[in-house]
Amino acid sequence: QVQLVESGGGLVEAGGSLRLSCAVSGTIFNINVMGWYRQAPGLQRELVAHISSGGRTNYADSVKGRFTISRGNAKNTVYLQMNSLKPEDTAVYYCHVVHFNMDYWGKGTLVTVSS
């Protein structure tokens, strides 16, 4: 069983920064991909960024240049540094990992950006 716990969400003014963290625990052998998705009210869940086990990253166009995804030294943590936040970044952010071709999700952390 793999568990994901996010932290770091909160309320921030436009232009501010937040750093999200996700800790993965359980029986872990090889996490292929770690990433972040978000879901705003009334919208579908969308990819924000992901990082492969080899360190390759991919970002949604809407966050390129503002957000940075990284993995911790222990490889079972993933971070999302969010700078220059905009009101449209307001959403619940979900941590996601692929482990042995299975998808695992955290419960989400709310990010609210005020204008």
Side-chain angles (χ1 to χ4, degrees):
Q1 189 75 1
V2 176
Q3 297 88 35
L4 285 68
V5 178
E6 304 104 332
S7 61
L11 173 65
V12 64
E13 292 185 350
S17 298
L18 282 174
R19 188 187 193 215
L20 304 183
S21 300
C22 175
V24 184
S25 61
T27 305
I28 303 168
F29 295 101
N30 183 30
I31 298 176
N32 306 109
V33 178
M34 306 181 80
W36 292 92
Y37 286 70
R38 67 186 181 187
Q39 186 167 17
L43 299 179
Q44 290 187 331
R45 191 173 297 188
E46 63 175 1
L47 173 69
V48 177
H50 64 68
I51 183 168
S52 71
S53 57
R56 181 173 294 181
T57 58
N58 184 49
Y59 295 91
D61 288 342
S62 59
V63 307
K64 282 181 180 177
R66 300 187 297 122
F67 291 10
T68 302
I69 190 170
S70 61
R71 294 179 72 157
N73 291 333
K75 305 298 183 184
N76 62 340
T77 55
V78 62
Y79 306 100
L80 185 68
Q81 177 66 43
M82 305 185 294
N83 298 327
S84 301
L85 282 160
K86 305 175 181 179
E88 51 263 44
D89 294 318
T90 295
V92 177
Y93 284 70
Y94 296 92
C95 182
H96 169 258
V97 302
V98 178
H99 183 247
F100 283 118
N101 294 324
M102 293 187 66
D103 294 290
Y104 296 89
W105 296 90
K107 293 183 178 180
T109 184
L110 177 63
V111 172
T112 304
V113 184
S114 64
S115 57

